[in-house]
Amino acid sequence: MIRVIVADDHPIVRSGIVGLIALDPGLEVIGQAANGAEAVDLAARLRPDVVLMDLRMPGTSGIEATSRIAAELPEVHVLVLTTYETDDDILGAIEAGASGYLLKAAPQEEIVAGIRAVAQGHTVLAPTIAATLVTRMRGERPGRPQLSPREREVLRLVAAGRSNPEIARELFIGEATVKTHLIHVFEKLEVSDRTRAVTLALELGLI
């Protein structure tokens, strides 16, 4: 019997997933969580084989919860089940230690097979997710963003740990101009924070 915890902040969706799992006699739902913090707590107390984890939940996110479970409970496998398939979500989940990444739109048999595979220590990725990761590894990200020389310069200084005021002084520009450059960088790279911007720029060879 494979013991599963289902973590999803939408009660109806969570019930649907629980009902889907209940149809398989070899799977058992032993706990339900409405957010990441509850998922971590339940995993620590119940030690399931698999945590079926949504990504975007209030408070502790699915990615943060996955990271904590991977660090504190290495014997517990996390299978992400979400509606989101952006690059940041995929990479964030995999880097956090998820053993698999499936979409909620996947057929029932694919989700059940994914739970079984992850419980046995295998990695499971939806076809579209696998294709995205392969593309990123090959450096063939579609529409590879182009940063201006000044934007690259600002991002290189961010990577070196400089604050906005320090960057402004070093480049002899205003702090507001630094912020504007970073906003443009975030938009072009489709990220929302400095750390991810630097990481992605390094992956793409932009800095």
Side-chain angles (χ1 to χ4, degrees):
M1 182 69 71
I2 297 172
R3 302 162 70 248
V4 182
I5 286 175
V6 177
D8 196 297
D9 62 321
H10 296 289
I12 294 177
V13 174
R14 191 169 65 246
S15 295
I17 295 170
V18 170
L20 180 155
I21 293 173
L23 295 174
D24 190 301
L27 306 180
E28 179 188 10
V29 175
I30 60 170
Q32 299 182 42
N35 56 58
E38 287 184 11
V40 174
D41 179 61
L42 280 177
R45 288 193 290 111
L46 303 179
R47 303 298 172 109
D49 299 299
V50 177
V51 176
L52 209 54
M53 184 80 73
D54 189 20
L55 283 187
R56 302 188 185 179
M57 296 182 285
T60 303
S61 71
I63 289 179
E64 184 181 345
T66 297
S67 179
R68 288 176 56 187
I69 290 172
E72 300 167 16
L73 306 164
E75 74 280 8
V76 177
H77 303 286
V78 176
L79 174 58
V80 170
L81 184 64
T82 183
T83 56
Y84 304 101
E85 53 180 320
T86 66
D87 286 6
D88 278 354
D89 288 323
I90 298 167
L91 289 174
I94 299 302
E95 289 171 356
S99 297
Y101 196 116
L102 295 177
L103 300 176
K104 290 178 180 176
Q108 173 184 329
E109 57 271 19
E110 185 178 321
I111 294 174
V112 170
I115 294 172
R116 289 184 171 281
V118 165
Q120 293 168 5
H122 302 301
T123 299
V124 176
L125 296 173
T128 56
I129 304 303
T132 298
L133 289 176
V134 169
T135 298
R136 290 292 294 272
M137 288 178 66
R138 290 176 177 171
E140 298 172 357
R141 180 186 170 101
R144 188 169 182 262
Q146 297 298 316
L147 302 183
S148 70
R150 180 62 92 182
E151 288 167 351
R152 289 172 184 260
E153 203 169 13
V154 168
L155 200 50
R156 272 194 289 268
L157 290 172
V158 170
R162 305 286 202 283
S163 65
N164 285 3
E166 290 171 335
I167 294 171
R169 286 194 297 272
E170 197 157 332
L171 298 181
F172 301 102
I173 57 179
E175 189 174 342
T177 303
V178 174
K179 291 180 181 177
T180 299
H181 284 311
L182 286 174
I183 288 172
H184 291 160
V185 168
F186 291 174
E187 289 175 348
K188 290 179 179 180
L189 298 182
E190 299 180 0
V191 299
S192 58
D193 63 76
R194 298 160 74 96
T195 301
R196 189 69 192 116
V198 169
T199 303
L200 183 54
L202 288 169
E203 289 175 3
L204 297 175
L206 296 175
I207 59 173

